[in-house]
């Protein structure tokens, strides 16, 4: 258990109006930044989706972001997924929204999927240990942090057992920084093709974390390479790779660069919620 989880009640649902306003302002600022970056890059409005990176934030804070227009959320740790899922699902249902309404969720008599209800995809964006797959699988729609065939096979076996299809992004370590997870870029295409062939998994795209440097050209080069890899996977047309379209890249400090290089999902925490107090 991570230490900050002892400090903060992540299931808390009540936040004050000042905090609610701060978060709403953050969401609106980020949506403006995305719209501007789309326009600057000559891309269609709405072609980039905002995922709110919600690690260390409680249910009340996350609902404030959803009320301000966030339509996709991402957690890093299985324990946080578990701590928040029931509260988020209930509060979303009260608003006529559905969160992670998978077949497995329906089995547990969570709100029924309904075509008229706006769906908020729930992603896992942090590293996943094999022994935690069972914790997150009924709840999250997509696991963005798959970086080995071994992990993909374990997710596949679980998904088949549950009778569900789980979305997967292949995480690629474009910066080569040793501190980062993600597969070697040289192996990404072959790995994507192997993952695409597994049952119970839909390969939806690629994910990367931008280089931790000041030089914009270096950061952009990594994003551009991820896009090129995605295009090569689609061009090769191996079975099970036809939905490999998403590029999850760009965070608070590099989202405009990522959008210029073709990002379809930006994962933003700090610019919405403020600096993290823990981790
Ligand atoms: C925390 C996190 C983000 C968001 O980072 P910010 O700099 O706070 O916007 C995005 N992706 C991953 C994988 C993260 O862990």
């Amino acid at each position: 258990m991570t230490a900050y989880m002892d400090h903060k009640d992540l299931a808390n649902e009540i936040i004050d109006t000042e905090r609610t306003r701060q978060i709403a302002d953050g969401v609106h600022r980020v949506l403006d930044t995305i719209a501007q970056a789309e326009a600057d890059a000559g891309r269609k409005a709405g072609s980039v989706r905002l995922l709110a990176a919600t690690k260390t934030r409680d249910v009340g804070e996350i609902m404030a972001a959803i009320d301000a227009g966030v339509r996709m959320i991402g957690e890093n740790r299985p324990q946080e997924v578990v701590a928040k899922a029931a509260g988020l699902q209930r509060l979303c249902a009260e608003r006529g929204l559905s969160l992670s309404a998978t077949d497995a969720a329906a089995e547990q008599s969570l709100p029924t999927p309904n075509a008229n209800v706006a769906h908020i995809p729930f992603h896992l964006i942090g590293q996943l240990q094999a022994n935690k797959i069972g914790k997150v699988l009924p709840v999250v729609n997509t696991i963005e942090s798959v970086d080995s065939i071994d992990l993909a096979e374990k997710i596949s076996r679980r998904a088949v057992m549950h009778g569900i299809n789980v979305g997967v992004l292949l995480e690629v370590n474009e910066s080569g920084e040793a501190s980062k997870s993600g597969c070697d870029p040289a192996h990404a295409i072959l790995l994507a093709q192997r993952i695409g062939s597994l049952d119970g998994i839909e390969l939806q795209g690629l994910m990367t974390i931008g280089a931790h440097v000041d030089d914009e050209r270096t950061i952009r080069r990594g994003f551009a390479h991820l896009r090129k890899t995605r295009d090569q996977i689609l061009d090769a047309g191996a079975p099970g790779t036809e939905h490999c379209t998403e590029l999850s890249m760009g965070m608070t400090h590099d989202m405009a660069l990522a959008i210029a290089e073709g990002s379809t999902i930006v994962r933003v925490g700090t610019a919405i919620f403020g600096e993290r107090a823990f981790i």
Side-chain angles (χ1 to χ4, degrees):
M1 196 69 72
T2 320
Y4 70 83
M5 290 185 72
D6 301 332
H7 297 261
K8 182 164 172 172
D9 174 15
L10 295 171
N12 171 61
E13 296 180 6
I14 311 294
I15 62 170
D16 64 28
T17 52
E18 170 62 16
R19 182 73 180 124
T20 302
R21 194 190 50 72
Q22 271 175 4
I23 293 169
D25 287 349
V27 170
H28 298 148
R29 263 199 316 273
V30 172
L31 290 174
D32 286 347
T33 302
I34 292 171
Q36 186 63 55
E38 284 171 339
D40 290 348
R43 298 183 55 191
K44 212 167 114 236
S47 53
V48 180
R49 291 187 292 166
L50 169 61
L51 174 149
T54 52
K55 58 178 176 274
T56 78
R57 317 302 176 174
D58 66 26
V59 169
E61 293 173 298
I62 298 167
M63 289 314 300
I66 288 172
D67 287 338
V70 160
R71 285 296 174 269
M72 188 186 312
I73 63 174
E75 284 288 350
N76 282 70
R77 300 177 185 84
Q79 297 96 313
E80 290 204 44
V81 171
V82 171
K84 302 174 203 177
L88 290 173
Q89 275 159 347
R90 180 171 41 73
L91 293 169
C92 281
E94 282 177 20
R95 289 157 170 80
L97 300 166
S98 82
L99 182 81
S100 64
T102 60
D103 298 347
E107 260 169 39
Q108 303 176 337
S109 68
L110 297 168
T112 326
N114 175 332
N116 297 322
V117 168
H119 176 59
I120 300 189
F122 197 163
H123 288 202
L124 187 80
I125 62 175
Q127 255 178 352
L128 177 61
Q129 285 167 327
N131 64 353
K132 301 280 167 50
I133 294 170
K135 263 193 161 76
V136 299
L137 209 52
V139 184
V140 302
N141 303 105
T142 297
I143 301 173
E144 295 204 8
S145 44
V146 175
D147 62 359
S148 71
I149 190 67
D150 183 51
L151 179 60
E153 281 172 348
K154 287 178 172 140
I155 294 169
S156 163
R157 277 199 289 278
R158 271 290 176 150
V160 169
M161 226 167 73
H162 285 283
I164 59 171
N165 241 322
V166 62
V168 157
L169 303 189
L170 172 62
E171 180 175 355
V172 185
N173 184 357
E174 289 290 356
S175 69
E177 290 163 13
S179 60
K180 293 206 168 91
S181 46
C183 72
D184 182 332
H187 302 150
I189 295 176
L190 202 57
L191 203 45
Q193 291 171 339
R194 292 179 67 190
I195 293 171
S197 72
L198 297 173
D199 293 329
I201 278 184
E202 180 177 276
L203 179 69
Q204 297 174 339
L206 307 178
M207 182 270 231
T208 198
I209 296 173
H212 191 67
V213 295
D214 290 326
D215 179 40
E216 291 197 351
R217 278 174 313 171
T218 304
I219 300 170
R220 282 187 75 140
R221 201 180 312 126
F223 293 152
H225 189 265
L226 195 73
R227 177 181 56 184
K228 193 170 130 208
T229 304
R230 190 264 327 256
D231 292 345
Q232 287 173 328
I233 291 165
L234 288 172
D235 286 346
T241 60
E242 56 276 8
H243 302 294
C244 184
T245 54
E246 302 283 1
L247 289 174
S248 176
M249 57 190 198
M251 308 182 4
T252 290
H253 295 297
D254 55 19
M255 65 180 129
L257 297 176
I259 291 169
E261 293 297 347
S263 171
T264 64
I265 298 173
V266 289
R267 308 177 310 270
V268 182
T270 308
I272 293 176
F273 299 104
E275 294 293 334
R276 282 177 289 276
F278 307 103
I279 308 294

